[in-house]
């Protein structure tokens, strides 16, 4: 997705060999027009799938997932990272470790928003080690629902997340794939055929 | 906003005299079409204002704020509730107490996303005691920027938030105003003239 690559090259900050900061357009300040382009692109890539709901995880996944759900005209559910006093006790839960923040938390989703006949498109902003995506997959599997695929805005292809998820048999569509962040430089993976 | 009132009456759950749960369409599962109607309504109510950015606070404010920013065609910034390792150290900060969760946290926004010439529309899902809104106002004031107004999806008018913010001189536009949650029932405040 060329407009996203350009945005990464012009505004992204490489903080280390594993951390790319994109807070000017993706996870602190958001560009609504770009986000809608992202939503349209995910809808296009999964157009051959039956999708009943989009699922993401708070916080940075919400905007791209919302744009996708809007284009697909289906509800969006976001998993919570911790229970609040107004949440159901009746939740599906999974443990997710964040390597960036070096924390482990429980992600939860109310059972009433996932049912066995749901066909779920997972959306998230980043895919690195795959912890968040695997946690979301676990929530869907607990409900007996179907994961139709995982849409990722920025995949760090030098980390094992995408491989792990594909090995489980789930299609991954990443709008941008980053091969390396070495020497303070973003190197994209060669284009792949997304519409095989 | 009649469609929102209907949704509250049909899907909202009154958990106590102060807590209304609307997780089926506002803060866990989201209805993207309703959210766009909310965005259009906020844009209409503040159409006479110059707005350069929409500001909200994670998590539940993001979807209605995104819809509003999309309609207004301006960037959206969401304040963070805690620092992450990828955040700037160069942030505006404010303390916010949540009575619902009985916690106090620091909200932060990177200084590079708020400047003195910004005209900021604040959007949030709920207004109760006004702690989150007052925190957001503090962030904007630290930047020397202008708060053009505060748009609230659901105002709990029996709590002091709206009054406190209006006393500070900021216009508040609430799409729905709830007069009481007593006896397990949602009672709306009488319609007010929004376009004075």
């Amino acid at each position: 997705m060329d407009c996203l690559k350009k945005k990464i090259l012009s505004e992204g900050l490489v903080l280390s060999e594993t951390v790319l900061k994109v807070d000017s357009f993706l996870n602190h300040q958001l560009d609504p027009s770009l986000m809608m382009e992202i939503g349209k692109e995910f809808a296009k890539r999964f157009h051959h799938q039956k999708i009943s709901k989009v699922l993401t995880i708070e916080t940075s996944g919400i905007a791209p997932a919302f744009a996708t759900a809007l284009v697909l005209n289906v509800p969006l559910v976001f998993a919570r990272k911790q229970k609040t006093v107004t949440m159901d006790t009746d939740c599906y839960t999974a443990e997710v470790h964040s390597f960036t923040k070096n924390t482990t938390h429980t992600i939860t989703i109310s059972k009433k928003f996932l049912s066995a006949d749901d066909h779920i498109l997972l959306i998230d902003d980043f895919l690195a080690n795959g912890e968040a995506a695997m946690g979301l997959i676990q929530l869907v599997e607990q409900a007996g629902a179907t994961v139709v695929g995982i849409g990722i805005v920025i995949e760090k292809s030098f980390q094992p997340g995408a491989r792990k998820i594909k090995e489980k048999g789930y299609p991954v569509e990443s709008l941008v794939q980053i091969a390396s962040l070495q020497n303070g430089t973003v190197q994209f993976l060669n284009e792949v055929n997304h519409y095989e």
Side-chain angles (χ1 to χ4, degrees), chain A:
Chain A
M1 199 179 171
D2 285 345
C3 62
L4 189 56
K5 284 185 179 174
K6 280 182 194 159
K7 202 87 169 174
I8 290 169
L9 292 176
S10 63
E11 300 185 24
L13 291 173
V14 178
L15 296 191
S16 73
E17 292 193 352
T18 56
V19 178
L20 172 69
K21 186 168 163 176
V22 287
D23 64 352
S24 72
F25 60 93
L26 189 59
N27 49 25
H28 187 18
Q29 179 170 260
L30 299 175
D31 177 341
S33 309
L34 174 65
M35 215 50 71
M36 286 311 297
E37 291 306 310
I38 286 171
K40 287 174 196 164
E41 182 66 22
F42 282 134
K44 196 165 80 175
R45 294 201 184 187
F46 292 98
H47 75 280
H48 52 294
Q49 300 278 12
K50 176 182 156 191
I51 294 164
S52 63
K53 277 185 186 174
V54 172
L55 175 63
T56 188
I57 186 170
E58 64 180 358
T59 302
S60 303
I62 294 175
F66 177 82
T68 308
L70 183 64
V71 176
L72 292 171
N73 195 27
V74 296
L76 160 68
V77 181
F78 58 91
R80 292 279 193 177
K81 278 186 185 151
Q82 59 193 40
K83 287 192 180 195
T84 69
V85 290
T86 58
M87 285 282 289
D88 270 4
T89 50
D90 210 9
C91 289
Y92 300 114
T93 64
E95 296 294 307
V96 169
H97 181 72
S98 165
F99 288 92
T100 316
K101 300 177 189 170
N102 195 24
T103 53
T104 299
H105 45 249
T106 303
I107 64 170
T108 67
I109 180 170
S110 173
K111 288 184 179 175
K112 63 186 176 182
F113 300 134
L114 269 186
S115 59
D117 57 354
D118 267 323
H119 288 70
I120 304 292
L121 174 60
L122 303 178
I123 298 286
D124 209 358
D125 58 339
F126 272 98
L127 177 60
N129 293 289
E131 291 286 314
M134 295 297 277
L136 289 172
I137 289 170
Q138 282 178 48
L139 297 181
V140 178
E141 287 178 341
Q142 284 171 40
T146 306
V147 175
V148 302
I150 294 110
I152 297 294
V153 181
I154 301 175
E155 174 190 311
K156 294 192 280 190
S157 309
F158 55 90
Q159 288 177 302
R163 183 180 48 74
K164 283 196 290 189
I165 293 166
K166 287 172 187 167
E167 280 173 3
K168 284 201 65 152
Y170 298 110
V172 178
E173 284 287 346
S174 302
L175 303 189
V176 163
Q177 293 174 299
I178 294 178
S180 160
L181 294 172
Q182 288 182 348
N183 307 315
T185 307
V186 178
Q187 283 198 300
F188 296 111
L189 209 67
N190 288 333
E191 294 290 324
V192 295
N193 178 15
H194 293 295
Y195 304 101
E196 65 272 15

